[in-house]
Amino acid sequence: MKKNMLLILVSILFSSGIYAQKENIIKVSPDVNNVIIYLTGAQVRYKIQASLLPGRNLLEIKGLAPNLDPSSIRITADEKSTVLSVTHKKTSELVGSEAAKLDIVNDSIKLITKKINLINDEKNSLTIQKDLLLKNLSLGGQNTGVNFLDLQKASDYYQAKVFEINKRFSELTADADMQTATLAKLQLKSDKLMVTSKTQLSEVSVLIITENAQNTTLEFSYVVREAGWMPYYDLKCEDINKPLKLNYRAKAYNNCGIDWKDVALTLSTADPLLDINLPAIQTWYLYNYNGGQLKYDKGGYFQQNNANVSDLEYQNKEESKYQQHQAVQTKQIEVPELSFNFPIKSRYTLPSNAQPYIVDIDEYSLAASYRYVCVPVAEKSAFLLACISDWEELNLVEGNANIYLNGTYVGQSYLNPNEISDTLQVSLGRDSRIQVDRVKMKDYSSKVLIGSKRKATFVYEISVKNNRTTPIVVEIQDQVPVSSNQEIEVTIDQVSEAQHDIATGLLKWNFTIEPGKVQTVKLGYTVKYPKTVTLQFRKMKAINCPSF
């Protein structure tokens, strides 16, 4: 009976051994093949060569970014293979130049340890030799004497031999002490390198089943948050009669924990963590967007507002928690809902060090019309504006622009394509060849007291001279005051046929000025107000100065 049970057990074990399948384990540490960099985040892609055997194959992919998003892992096999499962875990590995230093230190530790062992072996042999000499000091028996010459020879021999042994023993001891001290330093250095060279990485295990043996290429990818890019531009205007050159560039960074070496790049405005749900269309409310209005700032440039203060405050609050955990500060910009990609022609290397690297996207020669805008009430300069049509096809993203005029860097402006307009206006800075003056005509200006009212009359002459060799189109902007009190009365005396916005007091004149010619306009207004009221007729600005 026992014999039959044993046969049955052996049969079961044998049959289970036939059907139990051992997994073919494949370990790979692939290099990054290409990367899609989003404004915030990146998708890191690999192409993995694997030799699959019939049945179950366990592909262990090592050396991946430590903070990859497990839910974003994607792996594509051919139709002859099936992916059964994907698991992710974090690992601690020795990588980089510090790991190479650790190997050198450990090799030195092995060599010095071998030297110390050889020294100890030689010291042991000397100790044995000395003990044998000391045990054989007796030259004769108790009743047998030794003559003087034999005794003298024996004494000299033992003295020289013991001295030689002791001297060598001392040398070996000193050498051992020195080697031991060096070994201690190397061991300390090794311990430190073990800490600094260990890097947190990720490992993904993929279980694949296939019917036949095959060599296949697997496409593998995941998303990380510690990367991104921001747009910036170089705008070059050689002359107002030539096209505007636009260099579309990006500053991209990588801080995901692994270097991207000689990879193909694509820059994208999409969201790297899109879900699989159908997007819902929300009500689209149109509002007064001030992005296209020129605003004079303290630096003397016209810039374009892209959001109001309350919107920015709200956005900053929403982003504050996320920014606290980032090595690179972020800001919020507006991009079209329909995203677009920029395939980069050249390959790039982006180390994982959170430093920005310049990536060239494209270069354009844009047909542009040019005009000047003068605001003499605030600045005695003319600002050159480039007006670009058909800009929508360029897929521009709002960002800073370095401005070059006639081969000279003149400053930085802000390019904002998010305005609903057929023409994109970009400030190219001041042009010193256009002379602007605003002079108060004292003979026509006065302040008088009439009964209980004061009457103040102001007349200004504005002149713009074209010192260029070609005609220019100029827009002059100025203003008249607007009363906010019924007791204060403002009367417009003359504005030289300007466009007048009554609500804001803004005045605009548009002219074409021939080379060497001067265009002049006059502005006059009168203010009546109670004598008990003090009005400030000069616009003031705040500026810092020393305080002693």
Side-chain angles (χ1 to χ4, degrees), residues 97-117:
S97 60
E98 296 298 311
K101 292 180 183 178
L102 180 62
D103 291 338
I104 296 174
V105 171
N106 287 338
D107 290 341
S108 299
I109 289 175
K110 291 178 182 179
L111 289 175
I112 292 179
T113 301
K114 186 176 181 180
K115 287 182 181 180
I116 292 175
N117 291 335

Side-chain angles (χ1 to χ4, degrees), residues 51-70:
S51 298
L52 304 180
L53 298 180
R56 296 159 66 92
N57 298 266
L58 183 63
L59 180 64
E60 296 181 353
I61 309 172
K62 300 177 178 293
L64 308 178
N67 294 323
L68 66 86
D69 182 1

Side-chain angles (χ1 to χ4, degrees), residues 22 55 139 157 186 207 249 300 322 341 369 372 407 430 441 449 469 539:
K22 185 178 180 181
L139 300 178
Y157 171 77
L186 288 173
L207 186 59
R249 293 193 172 101
Y322 176 71
N341 296 337
S369 61
Y372 289 88
R430 298 173 174 84
M441 304 181 70
L449 178 62
T469 58
K539 297 187 69 175

Side-chain angles (χ1 to χ4, degrees), residues 395-423:
N395 293 328
L396 303 181
V397 180
E398 64 173 288
N400 292 324
N402 296 321
I403 307 300
Y404 298 86
L405 186 60
N406 300 319
T408 302
Y409 174 75
V410 295
Q412 190 175 84
S413 187
Y414 196 81
L415 190 136
N416 183 10
N418 299 327
E419 56 190 25
I420 304 175
S421 176
D422 295 332
T423 303

Side-chain angles (χ1 to χ4, degrees), residues 36 41 46 166 169 218 228 319 361 393 416 439 483 529:
I36 299 178
Y46 302 80
N166 288 342
F169 198 90
L218 304 173
E319 293 290 325
I361 298 176
E393 298 178 359
N416 183 10
V439 180
S483 174
Y529 57 97

